[in-house]
Amino acid sequence: MIKIISDIKISIVLFLLFACASAIATFIESKYTTPSAWALVYGTWWFGLIQLLLGINLFFAIFRYKMYEKLPLFLFHISFLFILLGSILTRYYGFEGMLHLRQNDTSNIITSQQAHFILSAKKDDKIYSNDISKYISLVGSNSVDLELKIDEKIAKLHLDKIILNAKAKYVESPNGKALVYLNISSNDYSSALALEKGDFRILGKSVLSNDKDINMNGVDILNFKDGGYISNTKTSVFDTITKSTKNIEKNTFYKLENPSVITYKDYKIGFIKEYKSAIKTYEQGDDKNYPNAYEFTLSYDNESTKLYLFENESEIVKLANQSFSLAYTPKAYELPFSFTLDKFELERYEASNSAKSYASFVKLNDENESKEYKIFMNNVLDYKGYRFYQSSYDTDEKGTYLSVNKDPGKFPTYIGYFLLGLGLFLNIFHKKSRFMQLRAKLIKLTSLVLLLSCINLHSNTLENQIQQAAAKLDKVSLEEHAKNLSTLAVRKENSRVAPFGTMALELLEKIHKSTSYKNQDASTTLIKIMGDFDNFINEKFIYLKDKDIRKMLGLEDGKYASFADFFKDRKYALKDEVDRASRLNPNKRGTLEKELLKVDERLNILYYASLGGYLTAFFDENNAKNLLDTDDVKAKAYYAALVQANKDGNYALADKILKEIKLSQSKKYDENKFLLEIEFDKIAPFTKLIPFYLLCGLALLLLIFTKIIRTKEINLKPAFKTVYYLNVLAFIIHTISLAIRGYISNHAPWSNSYESLLYIAWALSLSGIIFSKRSPISLSLTSILAAIVLFVAQLSSIDPQIGNLAPVLQSYWLTIHVSVITASYGFLGLCALLGCFVLILFCMFAKDEKYNEKLAKNIQEATMINEMAMILGLSLLTLGNFLGGVWANESWGRYWGWDSKETWALVSILVYAAVIHTRLVKGINNQFYFAIFSMFAYLSIVMTYFGVNYFLTGMHSYAAGNAASVPLYAYIIVAIMIVLSIIAAKNKSKAKLL
């Protein structure tokens, strides 16, 4: 029995089932809604059962395969049992909600994160209530049944259907009311109106009525009656069927035979239909701005009725002389203690609407004592098993939202994370581990390839004075002054002193997405911005490619926008949208909100730069001041001189004042070092190394295949040496560039996620060079992979220094998480390349046995490296994913939320876990299948890194509205992979066991 339960085949099937279900859920979430994904997948009993079966399978496998005899293996596998236990406790016994506080108010009421259907009634001053929590799917069927016992009678509520984008309509019914159904519109108003018989509505200074005589002196009245209308003022009627228009004199009754449009004063009144007896229902509409409606049947005391409910709303209905209230809202709970909000504090980035940090100063009231606390992002409050996180705030900045979490599964989950990390670490070095066994076998081969080396992880008077002063000096050109300004020491937001040239370059990259503008360098461009902004505001300088935002501004498709484009009638056109996006919880922001905040940031940075806000040359140990803040007379004089110089082209006076500013700084800075930093940023060596590494790797790979194909021995040593030395040259440039970066930054050049990727690429290049003489394929593939890693680094890098980092991202856990998990992509990428390489070799088998022996030897070598790389890559991927869970838990109180990005990372883990365990399954435990699996498995990584960003929704997504189409080359690559596998399959009998 134990053998059956712990069978590795069952493990692989469960891995893949879990992965497929999770992947499908991300597409359901993207196409429909998050609740739909929960209703159909995440919240189902069978999804939980898969996880439980995985845990049972793992538990018995520990004993069957005697994992306890190998400490790293045992620690690694048992960690998942702790994580599973923690997830069970969290899901079934945990609580997530929200606490809303207004300034100086006290509350102990929290609301659940998930909405509840709540049915309640009041009888004889006694309140009866019952509720049910359900995820509702917009596709498929939903089951919602709720009972409410009132004395000895039972009210039953049943969900009949969901009406998407519900649009109101009226149908004839004997239980209805007489009414006329209208649609009223004006220049700034449009609304449907069901006007019951005997009722009236006031429209400005006019009145609409339905069979009701109204006598009001001086008021225009239009009264519907007997299938037509009469008005005390002139009107006109357009018949929508006959397409004819008639003018109707006042006090003249007109019979409405067809749906018509009545022109009445400043209004267009659409007459849809007159009903003798009608009830209101809803039908599915096409306008996605309309909310969804839930159609219920309520039964009580042998009577029943239909009712319609919208999310976050309530509905009151009377049935069998009993009133009922139905709502679909978060459920309220009471805390055993309360909070008082003393103050909410919002800190913004300078000259920006973007929040830099926000905090709640609260007083916790428990029994007879009160304590004061400060809650802000990444700084939580723990109290009596509850955790309180800063989540969002009210628009007037006088109220706060605190996320509340009670998680009994945190402790076992964190134990699991610790054991996981320890097991992965020991697995790399333990002599009995699979990794070390492969390494030992590999050393014995004649042709040695080692993949892994090392990883650590303006007044007129003033203007005249300036002109007179400048006339006495020798003329200085704009270019010369820009060079001198570029070496001015300024202090950046992170307190690092850097040359202004670096600051200017970062500003240009941030705002314009380029290192130059109109063939002028960054410092020259900043001089123009500071000195002549009145003219610069019309320059198409701000990067803005998002079509939705360009549409908001009334711009045609393009890549850039001017500062003036953002202001209509002297008002900021995006203000309301940006305010809305800023208030949203970071993990609730969609793609449009993220882009709005980025564009707003660029706009504000440009304006702040125009005021001299980034020329922070006046600083000491405690603070830094710019041209706006300082009282230094030299600062005011410099700014005025710069404005004048932009008019007459002579920067002599500005240059002279600049020199005095440099002399007045408390410390003399090394201008040569500053110039080095500026040139280093301009050259961007790591970007230029990408094609260099890639071409060298591909050239060497071509030579290797040439040697394998040729049966006659040919001398390729000169060609090998040439490519080898080019790789060495690239490596030397890479090393020098890292050293320069370390020298400039005054810290080791692997201190953040971007630098760690640079370092990983360097380590890969080094490992290939060290072992290239005995195995050229290692140098080829590591060079290709180094190029890929550098490319990923350029895509992944956060805009340096200047960027307004969201408060939730100001966590060291995030840096570690991104660095580790991205590193895994590189190693698993090498696995895919090696898989392709092995399959190509399988295609090359021939009748020549000597030739085949050479191929077999290369296949064995590449497969061993592939498996070693996969062990390390999967270890990093798993560890990095769970480190992300730690970051999420410490930031907003949940370490797993089934966001598309984290879900696909889990899918990748499951896929690679299945692949790496295939060596234990007879029939597929050979080199051929391992090559195929390792090649296709990387598609899960591609989906995780790129697919989620552009094709799915979620907090990591960049897809705006409609998902991007899959590029043609993606289909071509997959087709090539399939064809390669089919061709290689004819020689799969020559594959050896793993």
Side-chain angles (χ1 to χ4, degrees):
M1 186 64 178
I2 291 179
K3 283 188 176 182
I4 297 173
I5 296 174
S6 61
D7 195 300
I8 198 68
K9 294 178 183 176
I10 294 176
S11 303
I12 293 174
V13 170
L14 290 172
F15 284 152
L16 297 178
L17 278 175
F18 194 15
C20 288
S22 301
I24 290 169
T26 63
F27 288 100
I28 293 173
E29 180 181 14
S30 185
K31 184 172 178 60
Y32 300 103
T33 59
T34 298
S36 296
W38 275 89
L40 296 175
V41 182
Y42 299 137
T44 59
W45 63 268
W46 57 263
F47 191 69
L49 181 62
I50 291 174
Q51 298 172 65
L52 182 61
L53 291 175
L54 271 170
I56 295 171
N57 173 266
L58 174 58
F59 178 79
F60 286 103
I62 290 173
F63 295 98
R64 177 181 177 179
Y65 297 102
K66 297 181 180 180
M67 296 182 190
Y68 45 80
E69 293 181 355
K70 296 179 180 180
L71 183 62
L73 194 66
F74 176 70
L75 291 176
F76 174 77
H77 284 85
I78 202 172
S79 69
F80 288 99
L81 295 179
F82 281 94
I83 294 171
L84 179 61
L85 174 62
S87 67
I88 292 172
L89 293 173
T90 298
R91 176 167 178 174
Y92 295 105
Y93 301 99
F95 174 83
E96 285 186 78
M98 193 71 68
L99 171 64
H100 181 219
L101 295 169
R102 293 290 294 174
Q103 196 160 303
N104 300 320
D105 284 351
T106 300
S107 177
N108 70 332
I109 303 299
I110 56 176
T111 55
S112 62
Q113 184 185 55
Q114 189 176 349
H116 291 239
F117 289 102
I118 305 172
L119 180 63
S120 58
K122 185 177 181 181
K123 185 177 182 181
D124 299 330
D125 296 326
K126 185 178 179 180
I127 296 175
Y128 302 84
S129 182
N130 195 13
D131 64 85
I132 185 172
S133 175
K134 278 279 188 177
Y135 289 107
I136 300 298
S137 171
L138 300 186
V139 61
S141 60
N142 293 278
S143 176
V144 178
D145 290 283
L146 187 60
E147 292 187 351
L148 180 64
K149 189 174 182 180
I150 306 173
D151 292 338
E152 298 302 318
K153 297 178 182 179
I154 296 177
K156 294 183 178 181
L157 183 74
H158 174 74
L159 176 63
D160 298 324
K161 63 180 178 180
I162 299 173
I163 305 170
L164 303 180
N165 313 318
K167 184 174 68 173
K169 73 170 186 176
Y170 287 83
V171 295
E172 297 283 359
S173 172
N175 299 322
K177 297 179 180 179
L179 58 87
V180 59
Y181 194 37
L182 309 170
N183 187 58
I184 305 169
S185 64
S186 64
N187 292 333
D188 56 356
Y189 174 84
S190 179
S191 177
L193 173 64
L195 193 61
E196 295 181 10
K197 189 172 183 179
D199 200 1
F200 70 95
R201 290 289 186 276
I202 297 175
L203 293 179
K205 296 181 179 180
S206 305
V207 174
L208 285 182
S209 63
N210 183 4
D211 200 6
K212 184 177 179 68
D213 294 328
I214 299 174
N215 295 314
M216 298 175 68
N217 293 329
V219 176
D220 295 321
I221 301 170
L222 189 151
N223 184 34
F224 290 92
K225 60 186 294 184
D226 302 326
Y229 77 92
I230 187 170
S231 175
N232 61 359
T233 187
K234 288 183 178 181
T235 59
S236 65
V237 180
F238 174 75
D239 190 308
T240 61
I241 303 298
T242 64
K243 307 298 181 184
S244 61
T245 301
K246 290 184 178 180
N247 294 317
I248 311 300
E249 294 296 325
K250 66 179 182 178
N251 299 322
T252 302
F253 177 80
Y254 180 77
K255 186 77 171 178
L256 293 165
E257 303 289 347
N258 300 313
S260 306
V261 179
I262 305 167
T263 301
Y264 173 61
K265 307 294 287 182
D266 296 329
Y267 296 93
K268 298 287 185 182
I269 301 174
F271 170 79
I272 300 173
K273 190 175 181 180
E274 182 179 9
Y275 296 91
K276 293 182 178 180
S277 180
I279 58 172
K280 185 179 183 180
T281 64
Y282 291 89
E283 62 181 357
Q284 184 169 333
D286 298 323
D287 190 344
K288 293 187 176 181
N289 292 318
Y290 281 35
N292 301 322
Y294 303 93
E295 182 183 295
F296 286 93
T297 297
L298 178 64
S299 304
Y300 177 71
D301 197 16
N302 299 319
E303 293 186 25
S304 63
T305 187
K306 295 280 186 183
L307 68 154
Y308 299 88
L309 182 69
F310 294 89
E311 194 168 345
N312 294 321
E313 291 186 8
S314 61
E315 189 73 21
I316 297 175
V317 63
K318 194 168 185 177
L319 181 65
N321 297 318
Q322 175 64 54
S323 291
F324 294 90
S325 174
L326 177 63
Y328 185 43
T329 61
K331 187 178 178 181
Y333 297 87
E334 287 189 18
L335 288 169
F337 47 87
S338 66
F339 285 96
T340 302
L341 178 63
D342 292 332
K343 181 177 67 170
F344 176 77
E345 186 178 84
L346 175 64
E347 181 184 356
R348 301 184 186 275
Y349 284 96
E350 292 180 295
S352 171
N353 286 324
S354 301
K356 184 177 183 179
S357 176
Y358 40 89
S360 300
F361 294 83
V362 299
K363 188 181 295 177
L364 193 155
N365 314 299
D366 191 2
E367 296 178 349
N368 297 322
E369 63 176 345
S370 295
K371 290 184 179 180
E372 293 181 350
Y373 294 96
K374 179 183 178 182
I375 305 173
F376 55 97
M377 197 63 72
N378 298 315
N379 189 81
V380 304
L381 169 62
D382 287 282
Y383 191 75
K384 289 188 175 182
Y386 292 91
R387 306 194 87 196
F388 298 87
Y389 305 77
Q390 181 64 62
S391 178
S392 187
Y393 55 92
D394 290 336
T395 55
D396 60 1
E397 301 174 18
K398 292 183 180 180
T400 186
Y401 288 89
L402 301 178
S403 177
V404 187
N405 175 272
K406 191 173 186 179
D407 183 10
K410 177 184 175 181
F411 187 67
T413 300
Y414 275 24
I415 291 176
Y417 288 173
F418 173 75
L419 294 175
L420 174 72
L422 182 61
L424 291 174
F425 177 77
L426 294 176
N427 187 57
I428 303 300
F429 303 103
H430 196 274
K431 63 181 180 180
K432 291 185 179 181
S433 71
R434 176 68 177 169
F435 185 86
M436 294 303 285
Q437 289 173 359
L438 286 168
R439 182 178 179 275
K441 289 180 181 179
L442 194 58
I443 291 172
K444 295 177 182 179
L445 290 175
T446 304
S447 176
L448 174 67
V449 185
L450 187 62
L451 162 73
L452 311 164
S453 171
C454 54
I455 285 198
N456 298 321
L457 296 172
H458 300 354
S459 73
N460 291 330
T461 305
L462 179 60
E463 184 176 327
N464 292 334
Q465 291 174 349
I466 290 171
Q467 288 175 337
Q468 292 170 10
K472 299 176 182 178
L473 301 170
D474 294 334
K475 187 173 183 178
V476 174
S477 67
L478 171 60
E479 292 73 17
E480 187 178 351
H481 180 64
K483 183 178 180 180
N484 292 333
L485 178 61
S486 68
T487 58
L488 175 67
V490 294
R491 198 166 89 173
K492 301 168 78 175
E493 280 191 340
N494 62 356
S495 298
R496 176 177 174 254
V497 176
F500 180 78
T502 294
M503 176 83 83
L505 192 64
E506 291 171 356
L507 286 168
L508 210 60
E509 288 175 338
K510 183 72 178 179
I511 307 169
H512 191 62
K513 296 293 181 182
S514 178
T515 57
S516 63
Y517 178 66
K518 291 186 175 180
N519 297 319
Q520 292 182 326
D521 64 18
S523 296
T524 304
T525 304
L526 261 291
I527 289 173
K528 288 291 185 181
I529 291 171
M530 290 189 292
D532 193 18
F533 192 63
D534 287 347
N535 289 318
F536 199 88
I537 60 172
N538 296 309
E539 295 278 342
K540 299 292 184 181
F541 182 70
I542 302 170
Y543 183 82
L544 177 57
K545 205 172 180 181
D546 188 280
K547 292 182 178 180
D548 291 337
I549 302 177
R550 295 189 72 90
K551 190 175 180 180
M552 292 179 191
L553 298 174
L555 300 176
E556 296 179 356
D557 288 352
K559 199 173 179 180
Y560 297 98
S562 70
F563 186 88
D565 289 334
F566 290 84
F567 296 89
K568 307 298 180 186
D569 300 323
R570 303 182 65 84
K571 292 182 179 179
Y572 182 26
L574 299 180
K575 184 181 184 303
D576 293 341
E577 290 295 326
V578 170
D579 286 346
R580 180 183 63 83
S582 296
R583 291 194 305 272
L584 280 176
N585 193 317
N587 63 327
K588 298 289 185 183
R589 289 172 187 160
T591 305
L592 179 60
E593 287 80 12
K594 294 173 185 175
E595 283 299 317
L596 278 165
L597 293 177
K598 287 179 182 178
V599 172
D600 177 69
E601 183 184 23
R602 294 182 198 125
L603 182 74
N604 283 291
I605 288 174
L606 176 58
Y607 181 65
Y608 196 53
S610 73
L611 301 175
Y614 292 107
L615 213 154
T616 50
F618 311 90
F619 56 85
D620 53 34
E621 293 181 357
N622 300 316
N623 55 62
K625 294 184 178 181
N626 53 34
L627 295 183
L628 290 169
D629 303 328
T630 184
D631 295 326
D632 194 310
V633 67
K634 292 188 291 295
K636 308 300 181 186
Y638 177 73
Y639 190 78
L642 203 61
V643 171
Q644 182 59 37
N646 274 287
K647 294 178 180 178
D648 58 27
N650 184 5
Y651 292 84
L653 183 59
D655 206 59
K656 179 178 174 59
I657 299 171
L658 175 63
K659 291 176 182 177
E660 292 180 7
I661 293 173
K662 288 183 178 182
L663 291 172
S664 68
Q665 291 180 329
S666 58
K667 178 182 175 182
K668 183 170 177 59
Y669 294 91
D670 187 347
E671 290 201 3
N672 291 325
K673 186 176 181 179
F674 280 176
L675 287 170
L676 175 65
E677 180 174 348
I678 295 166
E679 290 303 315
F680 182 79
D681 291 337
K682 287 180 180 178
I683 294 170
F686 300 111
T687 304
K688 290 181 172 61
L689 279 172
I690 296 172
F692 201 94
Y693 273 130
L694 188 62
L695 291 174
C696 286
L698 291 173
L700 186 53
L701 190 63
L702 180 63
L703 290 172
I704 292 168
F705 277 117
T706 303
K707 188 175 182 180
I708 293 172
I709 293 169
R710 297 293 294 265
T711 54
K712 183 186 277 188
E713 286 293 330
I714 57 173
N715 184 17
L716 291 177
K717 284 187 177 181
F720 274 125
K721 281 189 174 182
T722 301
V723 178
Y724 169 80
Y725 287 123
L726 285 173
N727 270 280
V728 172
L729 176 62
F731 174 75
I732 292 172
I733 294 171
H734 197 151
T735 305
I736 293 172
S737 299
L738 277 176
I740 292 173
R741 187 177 178 92
Y743 168 68
I744 291 170
S745 62
N746 295 316
H747 62 66
W750 51 79
S751 299
N752 56 44
S753 57
Y754 173 74
E755 290 176 346
S756 68
L757 289 177
L758 303 181
Y759 183 70
I760 289 167
W762 177 86
L764 285 167
S765 179
L766 176 63
S767 64
I769 291 170
I770 290 174
F771 300 101
S772 60
K773 289 186 178 180
R774 302 188 68 180
S775 179
I777 187 64
S778 66
L779 180 59
S780 170
L781 295 180
T782 52
S783 294
I784 294 171
L785 187 55
I788 293 171
V789 173
L790 286 177
F791 175 71
V792 170
Q794 304 309 316
L795 291 177
S796 309
S797 60
I798 300 170
D799 293 317
Q801 311 301 332
I802 300 298
N804 292 354
L805 200 61
V808 72
L809 300 180
Q810 297 168 10
S811 169
Y812 60 88
W813 283 112
L814 177 63
T815 302
I816 300 170
H817 155 64
V818 172
S819 180
V820 173
I821 204 168
T822 311
S824 72
Y825 298 165
F827 290 101
L828 297 174
L830 180 57
C831 295
L833 291 173
L834 286 167
C836 291
F837 177 71
V838 168
L839 290 175
I840 292 170
L841 294 184
F842 269 107
C843 295
M844 295 166 61
F845 273 109
K847 294 181 179 180
D848 189 333
E849 287 301 320
K850 190 175 180 181
Y851 170 72
N852 288 348
E853 285 180 14
K854 190 193 299 185
L855 288 178
K857 195 173 184 181
N858 280 278
I859 289 172
Q860 185 180 4
E861 187 179 273
T863 303
M864 286 183 178
I865 299 167
N866 193 348
E867 193 174 350
M868 291 173 69
M870 193 174 292
I871 290 171
L872 185 58
L874 179 57
S875 299
L876 289 171
L877 180 62
T878 306
L879 185 61
N881 202 33
F882 288 116
L883 284 171
V886 175
W887 163 58
N889 193 49
E890 296 303 315
S891 293
W892 53 66
R894 62 113 179 102
Y895 42 78
W896 197 264
W898 297 104
D899 173 77
S900 296
K901 192 78 163 184
E902 61 194 20
T903 301
W904 268 98
L906 175 63
V907 169
S908 299
I909 291 171
L910 293 167
V911 167
Y912 277 99
V915 172
I916 214 160
H917 284 87
T918 55
R919 69 181 183 87
L920 302 173
V921 181
K922 289 182 180 180
I924 57 173
N925 59 338
N926 60 49
Q927 297 164 337
F928 171 75
Y929 285 109
F930 192 77
I932 286 182
F933 296 151
S934 60
M935 179 177 68
F936 280 100
Y938 200 66
L939 294 177
S940 67
I941 298 295
V942 174
M943 183 65 193
T944 302
Y945 198 85
F946 293 104
V948 171
N949 291 356
Y950 298 102
F951 305 117
L952 299 178
T953 59
M955 64 179 291
H956 295 87
S957 174
Y958 302 111
N962 298 323
S965 58
V966 179
L968 178 62
Y969 64 79
Y971 293 107
I972 294 172
I973 292 172
V974 173
I976 291 171
M977 292 164 67
I978 295 171
V979 171
L980 177 61
S981 303
I982 294 171
I983 296 173
K986 67 179 182 179
N987 293 318
K988 67 178 179 179
S989 60
K990 300 182 184 298
K992 295 179 181 179
L993 297 178
L994 295 173

